[in-house]
Amino acid sequence: MKFRSDPSTIRGSIAPVVTPFTAEGAVDQAGLRSLIRFQLESGSHGISLGGSTGEPSAQSGAERIEAMRTAVEEIGDRVPFLPGTGSHKLDETLEITAAARELGADAALVITPYYARPTQEALYQWYATVAREFPDLPIVAYNVPSRTAVDIAPETVKRLFTDFDNFVGVKETTKDFEHFSRVLHACGRSLLVWSGIELLCLPLLALGGAGFVSAVANLAPSAVARMYELWEAGEFDAARDLHYRLHPLVDLLFVETNPAPAKWVLHQQGRISSPHVRPPLTAPTDAGLAKIRALLAEGGDLTQQIKTQRAHQDRQIGAAE
């Protein structure tokens, strides 16, 4: 809860952690704790649960709340916690958001209601209801039109940002990079904007973005965090080098529907006990696995290498001082 009073501190690489399941399909709370520890040890600047990578629509509200409780216990106040609390139902969204507030989340990530395809006025009313209900909790809209079939217009974001002090930002998961610019132009750079599109994470920083919520952080958390740190330090060429080196892992994530490929890799690495995904998702096909293995061979060094490099650099800095 330390970051709730100043949401502008929620910056950098916010890792959207997968929800591990047992082979029988139950939520693996011990596995979730292990993944969160992995992210913290690797230098991620924040933790998110319950976004698309976390398979929220395949879980009950009670399961999502219990996962948040596990995350809060593991994270403490070490980094910001930004759980996804939205669904296609308003009552469920309010219930999960209320739980997030009580558990100590620093902000709530609320997806646009999917399937219904609401108008812009309806989207405004949806988010206005959430913002009014929780005036002491920062609210972040999650715009992901490829999954919800609706796009929050920059003008709607501006209305919400103007009308509600606790509406603080938006996670933009659209490949229309012009949209990013129009949102920031409409609202000003005090609006917090994170990229949910892996290959637009670094470019967004040039526009004044707050960081990114990148699924590739599940596989290479140190590299993703380091890319942000290098940019902030003005080491632009080094940041760009990491951006391009991450390409194979980004492609790996989407060989088949995310998060099935990521879970397969995490299971192979021994980080989770099972690669299980819940229906309607399925495990990667044999053809998909061949592509995943090839891409992992190409970019897999980043799952280990950057952490070692950062430790070496930290030792060098300490020696110089």
Side-chain angles (χ1 to χ4, degrees):
M1 192 184 295
K2 180 175 74 173
F3 305 92
R4 184 186 293 183
S5 62
D6 185 7
S8 67
T9 59
I10 307 175
R11 293 181 175 273
S13 174
I14 312 300
V17 179
V18 303
T19 302
F21 300 122
T22 66
E24 293 74 31
V27 177
D28 181 0
Q29 300 293 342
L32 179 58
R33 288 183 184 276
S34 179
L35 288 178
I36 291 172
R37 286 196 295 269
F38 170 51
Q39 291 294 332
L40 296 173
E41 291 165 1
S42 299
S44 289
H45 306 117
I47 301 293
S48 183
L49 294 182
S52 303
T53 301
E55 300 173 74
S57 62
Q59 297 177 60
S60 68
E63 286 177 319
R64 294 174 66 182
I65 291 168
E66 187 60 27
M68 289 193 297
R69 180 174 290 108
T70 296
V72 168
E73 291 172 356
E74 200 63 43
I75 296 165
D77 277 336
R78 286 182 284 179
V79 298
F81 178 44
L82 180 64
T85 64
S87 83
H88 66 296
K89 296 171 62 181
L90 183 58
D91 59 347
E92 186 174 59
T93 296
L94 296 176
E95 176 190 4
I96 297 172
T97 305
R101 179 185 61 182
E102 294 307 310
L103 288 169
D106 294 289
L109 181 65
V110 180
I111 195 169
T112 51
Y114 36 91
Y115 186 75
R117 301 183 69 182
T119 64
Q120 292 301 309
E121 178 60 29
L123 286 173
Y124 173 84
Q125 294 297 337
W126 177 277
Y127 282 105
T129 299
V130 177
R132 287 193 193 99
E133 186 76 14
F134 307 103
D136 58 339
L137 181 66
I139 303 299
V140 176
Y142 178 15
N143 188 33
V144 54
S146 66
R147 289 184 182 259
T148 66
V150 65
D151 197 2
I152 308 177
E155 295 76 18
T156 304
V157 176
K158 181 179 180 179
R159 284 182 69 192
L160 291 162
F161 189 55
T162 300
D163 292 350
F164 298 97
D165 290 341
N166 62 324
F167 184 92
V168 300
V170 57
K171 175 188 172 184
E172 287 288 0
T173 307
T174 170
K175 292 184 178 181
D176 179 3
F177 195 52
E178 183 177 309
H179 182 93
F180 287 70
S181 186
R182 292 193 180 281
V183 167
L184 281 162
H185 182 247
C187 298
R189 280 176 281 175
S190 56
L191 179 79
L192 300 171
V193 180
W194 297 268
S195 175
I197 296 292
E198 279 64 31
L199 296 185
L200 295 180
C201 287
L202 186 63
L204 176 61
L205 298 182
L207 298 181
F212 23 88
V213 188
S214 170
V216 79
N218 281 284
L219 305 183
S222 289
V224 178
R226 185 61 174 157
M227 183 172 68
Y228 175 83
E229 292 165 1
L230 288 167
W231 179 270
E232 288 297 295
E235 298 182 45
F236 303 131
D237 285 340
R240 279 189 286 266
D241 287 344
L242 267 182
H243 166 83
Y244 288 115
R245 289 176 61 198
L246 282 164
H247 265 245
L249 294 182
V250 172
D251 293 343
L252 182 160
L253 291 176
F254 302 105
V255 166
E256 294 181 10
T257 305
N258 176 51
K263 282 190 162 183
W264 184 87
V265 173
L266 289 168
H267 180 244
Q268 292 296 305
Q269 294 175 335
R271 298 200 179 279
I272 55 177
S273 64
S274 167
H276 184 87
V277 289
R278 284 185 176 174
L281 300 184
T282 59
T285 61
D286 289 344
L289 287 177
K291 293 178 183 178
I292 290 167
R293 289 189 179 98
L295 290 164
L296 188 61
E298 186 179 350
D301 62 308
L302 288 183
T303 65
Q304 300 293 333
Q305 186 177 5
I306 297 300
K307 185 176 180 181
T308 302
Q309 289 178 341
R310 291 179 67 188
H312 176 65
Q313 289 165 350
D314 290 344
R315 286 195 297 271
Q316 287 183 320
I317 291 169
E321 293 173 345

